[in-house]
Amino acid sequence: MKYQVNWIGLGKKLTKFMSMAISIPVAFVFIARLFSSDFNLEKTFEHVAIWQLPLFFLGIVAFSAVFGFLIAAAFKFAYVKIENGNLVGRNYWFFKNSIPLSEINELYPFSNNGIEAVVASAGKHGKVYISTHTENLEDLIAIIESKMESGGNA
């Protein structure tokens, strides 16, 4: 069975994450510059006109949307399959990996720069990273856990 990634939902989440990660520090720089110039608006905004600020932040959101959806589009290929008793998916470096369901000994969460996943670790066989935006994730986790509890004989 194939479990697809909801890449559009992931793209929206990454757009929000990147927009905030860029906009908040930029806003703090403007605020710090305002304080350091003794609230002199001309000196604070000598390189950017005040009327351009909304366009500037809109540009940050547009930039975040483009790159967020490019990253999310790559996650269309991060689907997970169960075939022939193996869990087939992507490892940390996005290379395809196949691990036996019977050898999976640990499931744990992973989060890095807005990318969240559940890691299925099978010791020497490697790991498969399952995006939290995977459709029917609860069913997939239940299948993996039932194989783990029964020692792969379920």
Side-chain angles (χ1 to χ4, degrees), residues 55-140:
L55 296 175
F56 185 72
F57 283 99
L58 187 62
I60 290 173
V61 172
F63 171 84
S64 299
V66 168
F67 280 97
F69 275 94
L70 283 174
I71 293 166
F75 270 78
K76 285 177 71 172
F77 302 106
Y79 59 85
V80 178
K81 291 193 295 190
I82 294 179
E83 63 181 16
N84 302 326
N86 292 322
L87 180 66
V88 180
R90 303 287 175 170
N91 67 9
Y92 179 83
W93 300 107
F94 221 66
F95 294 121
K96 195 174 229 181
N97 195 14
S98 177
I99 58 177
L101 282 170
S102 60
E103 296 292 323
I104 297 174
N105 52 24
E106 187 178 17
L107 287 173
Y108 57 91
F110 169 84
S111 180
N112 188 9
N113 292 322
I115 303 293
E116 296 176 347
V118 175
V119 180
S121 176
K124 67 180 180 179
H125 298 284
K127 299 175 183 176
V128 169
Y129 285 68
I130 306 165
S131 172
T132 56
H133 286 83
T134 301
E135 296 171 355
N136 301 319
L137 179 63
E138 297 82 15
D139 299 338
L140 176 61

Side-chain angles (χ1 to χ4, degrees), residues 20-85:
M20 297 303 277
I22 297 169
S23 296
I24 291 173
V26 168
F28 279 128
V29 167
F30 281 124
I31 292 168
R33 190 167 163 94
L34 183 66
F35 277 96
S36 69
S37 70
D38 293 326
F39 296 95
N40 183 341
L41 291 178
E42 288 179 14
K43 190 173 182 184
T44 300
F45 297 106
E46 65 185 338
H47 300 294
V48 177
I50 293 176
W51 67 268
Q52 293 174 331
L53 283 179
L55 296 175
F56 185 72
F57 283 99
L58 187 62
I60 290 173
V61 172
F63 171 84
S64 299
V66 168
F67 280 97
F69 275 94
L70 283 174
I71 293 166
F75 270 78
K76 285 177 71 172
F77 302 106
Y79 59 85
V80 178
K81 291 193 295 190
I82 294 179
E83 63 181 16
N84 302 326

